[in-house]
């Protein structure tokens, strides 16, 4: 196996703790990482006023991958303005590194609302309402107007849809569902719908479906096994994957990959959960999502066997009915021992 350069952003709250366990498991799987740690997040912002300096961004461009723990200020914090870290760090990394695919797999765990579910959500990651188009008129007056546009390009939508089709082809069910709200969002929805069907002509073996996003929320709760691969826009993907995490066993199991499939820069891997400041420093956080995110990283780096082994170890641990009082460190040790 090769050695890979990985930028490690522990971030805030429980982020550093869960990444320690993820790196421990990667090492147990036999993959060598040349890691560089970067202090980014609320802690750095409060200390220096910096979010993502250009010099750090350039260093990150030279990594093979980025592993992120969690970023965010405490819920009661007034020292970090809303959106400062989200737009200045997370979204900036996605835009600057062209991480246009957000991949989130969901496999139900025993005792969850959907123990038999096994599906993947492909979320467009660089456009939509998160692109930043909008502004204010007459701010602070009784006649204030705020607009927030949704940016959807044929290029951006098509490359996301095509990635989802390619993924669906490689899965046994070969089923792909577009999730949107085309009956109301008639411009962006029309672009997504046309792209979905026009690209779909190149994939005759794929069974295609469409659900409105509100119906999808119902189906995820009542009939989640109907889904195999979902493709959707940035905002809808953000919302339905949190719901999917909840029904599949909890957000502590939900992994994600922010991918640059063209490999013109590093991809970034992170658990879906946040910084969870309420349990910071208590060794209580579930590191499974971070470990699964590290497995996604290994797979994308070409270490498919190691990724499969890590996922198998995580699943074996979960299926062993582990003691719910195990600490973060003990969970990491138990998974690493299985390797």
């Amino acid at each position: 196996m090769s050695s890979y350069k990985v930028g490690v952003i522990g971030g805030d709250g429980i982020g550093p703790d869960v990444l320690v366990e993820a790196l421990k498991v990667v090492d147990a799987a036999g993959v060598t990482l040349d890691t560089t740690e970067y202090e980014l997040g609320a802690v750095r912002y409060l200390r220096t006023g910096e979010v993502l300096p250009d010099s750090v961004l350039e260093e990150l461009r030279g990594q093979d991958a980025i592993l992120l723990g969690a970023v965010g200020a405490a819920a009661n914090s007034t020292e970090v303005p809303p959106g400062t870290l989200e737009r200045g760090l997370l979204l900036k990394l996605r835009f600057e590194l062209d991480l246009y695919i957000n991949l989130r797999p969901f496999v139900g765990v025993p005792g969850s609302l959907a123990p038999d579910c096994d599906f993947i959500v492909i979320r467009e990651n660089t456009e939509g309402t998160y692109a930043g188009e909008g502004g204010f008129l007459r701010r602070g007056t009784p006649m204030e107007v705020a607009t927030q546009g949704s940016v959807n390009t044929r290029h951006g939508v098509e490359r996301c849809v095509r990635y989802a089709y390619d993924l669906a082809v490689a899965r046994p069910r070969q089923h792909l569902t577009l999730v949107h709200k085309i009956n109301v969002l008639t411009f962006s929805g029309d672009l997504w719908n046309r792209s979905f069907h026009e690209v779909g002509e190149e994939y005759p073996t794929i069974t295609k479906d469409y659900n409105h996003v509100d119906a999808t929320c119902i189906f995820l709760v009542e009939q989640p096994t109907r889904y195999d691969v979902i493709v959707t826009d940035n905002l809808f993907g953000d919302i339905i994957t949190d719901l999917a995490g909840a029904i599949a066993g909890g957000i502590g199991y939900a992994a994600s990959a922010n991918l640059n499939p063209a490999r013109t820069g590093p991809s970034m891997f992170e658990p879906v959960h946040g910084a969870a400041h309420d349990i910071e420093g208590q060794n209580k956080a579930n590191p499974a999502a971070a470990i699964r995110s590290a497995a996604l990283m290994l797979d994308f780096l070409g270490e498919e066997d190691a990724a499969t082994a890590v996922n198998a170890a995580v699943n074996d641990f979960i299926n062993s009915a582990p003691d719910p009082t195990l600490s973060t460190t003990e969970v990491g040790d138990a998974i690493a021992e299985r390797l």
Side-chain angles (χ1 to χ4, degrees):
M1 294 184 180
S2 303
S3 175
Y4 303 95
K5 296 191 300 180
V6 175
V8 177
I9 304 172
D12 305 308
I14 64 172
D17 296 336
V18 296
L19 280 202
V20 166
E21 304 311 312
L23 292 170
K24 176 195 298 179
V25 171
V26 169
D27 183 65
V31 179
T32 301
L33 302 181
D34 177 11
T35 61
T36 301
E37 295 189 8
Y38 294 92
E39 183 194 39
L40 296 170
V43 172
R44 178 169 185 153
Y45 177 78
L46 292 173
R47 183 172 60 82
T48 70
E50 297 174 304
V51 180
L52 179 59
D54 290 342
S55 59
V56 175
L57 176 60
E58 288 309 306
E59 284 188 34
L60 288 170
R61 291 186 194 276
Q63 302 292 321
D64 295 317
I66 301 168
L67 194 59
L68 172 68
V71 169
N76 58 356
S77 173
T78 59
E79 297 177 280
V80 182
T84 300
L85 300 176
E86 292 80 3
R87 296 212 67 87
L89 177 57
L90 299 179
L91 294 185
K92 186 173 181 178
L93 284 171
R94 293 174 188 175
F95 298 156
E96 290 287 338
L97 301 178
D98 203 19
L99 308 178
Y100 65 86
I101 294 294
N102 185 258
L103 181 152
R104 298 189 177 185
F106 298 95
V107 179
V109 306
S112 68
L113 291 174
D116 298 324
C117 74
D118 181 359
F119 61 93
I120 297 176
V121 178
I122 299 300
R123 165 190 171 193
E124 200 290 317
N125 213 29
T126 59
E127 296 189 345
T129 51
Y130 292 8
E133 194 254 354
F136 290 100
L137 293 174
R138 299 183 291 274
R139 184 174 183 179
T141 75
M143 301 301 291
E144 181 172 353
V145 177
T147 62
Q148 193 79 58
S150 179
V151 177
N152 300 266
T153 68
R154 177 64 189 229
H155 169 72
V157 172
E158 183 171 316
R159 66 181 181 174
C160 179
V161 166
R162 190 174 298 279
Y163 185 93
Y165 272 112
D166 287 338
L167 180 63
V169 165
R171 288 171 63 86
R173 289 177 59 187
Q174 296 202 352
H175 189 282
L176 179 61
T177 303
L178 170 64
V179 170
H180 210 279
K181 190 69 175 173
I182 63 175
N183 59 332
V184 176
L185 303 178
T186 52
F187 301 120
S188 61
D190 181 68
L191 174 57
W192 273 89
N193 194 46
R194 281 186 289 111
S195 299
F196 180 73
H197 287 289
E198 289 169 14
V199 173
E201 293 178 2
E202 302 173 29
Y203 298 84
T205 65
I206 298 296
T207 301
K208 305 164 186 69
D209 201 357
Y210 169 80
N211 289 154
H212 291 325
V213 64
D214 44 345
T216 301
C217 292
I218 296 173
F219 292 140
L220 282 173
V221 174
E222 296 184 346
Q223 196 185 356
T225 54
R226 71 184 287 146
Y227 293 118
D228 180 26
V229 180
I230 291 173
V231 64
T232 189
D233 83 343
N234 210 335
L235 177 60
F236 295 148
D238 194 1
I239 295 169
I240 67 171
T241 53
D242 279 0
L243 176 57
I247 63 104
I251 211 73
Y253 294 105
S256 77
N258 301 275
L259 302 178
N260 175 338
R263 301 179 188 266
T264 58
S267 293
M268 182 169 69
F269 305 83
E270 59 177 314
V272 173
H273 63 69
H277 287 274
D278 57 322
I279 57 172
E280 178 182 357
Q282 300 177 41
N283 207 20
K284 289 182 178 179
N286 182 357
I291 295 170
R292 282 178 161 173
S293 297
L296 292 173
M297 178 184 72
L298 293 177
D299 185 69
F300 196 72
L301 289 173
E303 299 290 350
E304 293 92 348
D305 291 344
T308 299
V310 170
N311 282 321
V314 173
N315 293 337
D316 184 65
F317 170 76
I318 294 170
N319 292 328
S320 69
D323 182 348
T325 66
L326 288 177
S327 69
T328 305
T329 304
E330 289 171 330
V331 172
D333 288 343
I335 294 172
E337 287 168 3
R338 286 166 164 77
L339 292 163

